[in-house]
Amino acid sequence: MAIEVRLAARRFWRVVFGRRIDVHPKLIIPDLRAIRQAVESGFGFSVLPHYLCADWVKKNRFTLVLKPARAVTNRIWLAFRKYERHLRKIKRMLKFYQFQ
């Protein structure tokens, strides 16, 4: 299972094991919470973020199979239309994230 056609599992595998993996998920679900529920229901396994599973591991709903020494991170892009840069809400966002 993966949220974006094998992207999360591939990134995890590359960061943790230093090489690519050829994965063909049997089920693709576009929501991390739904993936978590599918895993709990026995549909397989997945790479899921710590924030989503830590409590479930603590309550023995999940078993942590691997905790990598090196964190796997995701880059998040903030985007807006260039011609809207002058809008107050865009300026606030840029100021908040210190892009100005």
Side-chain angles (χ1 to χ4, degrees):
M1 289 175 265
I3 191 163
E4 294 225 9
V5 190
R6 304 174 289 205
L7 205 52
R10 285 184 178 188
R11 184 180 319 108
F12 178 85
W13 201 269
R14 189 177 61 246
V15 169
V16 173
F17 299 110
R19 58 189 170 105
R20 289 186 61 138
I21 183 174
D22 187 22
V23 176
H24 302 284
K26 301 289 183 199
L27 182 62
I28 297 179
I29 302 172
D31 179 74
L32 288 172
R33 292 172 307 269
I35 292 172
R36 179 182 63 182
Q37 195 63 47
V39 170
E40 186 186 39
S41 297
F43 283 92
F45 65 92
S46 186
V47 174
L48 291 166
H50 180 305
Y51 74 87
L52 201 58
C53 299
D55 194 47
W56 286 35
V57 170
K58 198 182 310 180
K59 293 178 180 178
N60 292 321
R61 292 175 77 177
F62 274 175
T63 300
L64 182 62
V65 176
L66 175 66
K67 183 176 181 181
R70 182 176 168 202
V72 180
T73 59
N74 291 317
R75 181 175 289 162
I76 298 173
W77 296 91
L78 298 173
F80 58 90
R81 292 179 286 239
K82 192 173 183 177
Y83 65 85
E84 292 182 340
R85 186 178 185 104
H86 71 282
L87 295 177
R88 192 167 66 187
K89 63 183 176 183
I90 301 296
K91 287 182 177 184
R92 276 196 310 250
M93 179 191 69
L94 292 172
K95 185 176 180 182
F96 179 79
Y97 290 105
Q98 301 176 358
F99 290 126
Q100 277 189 334

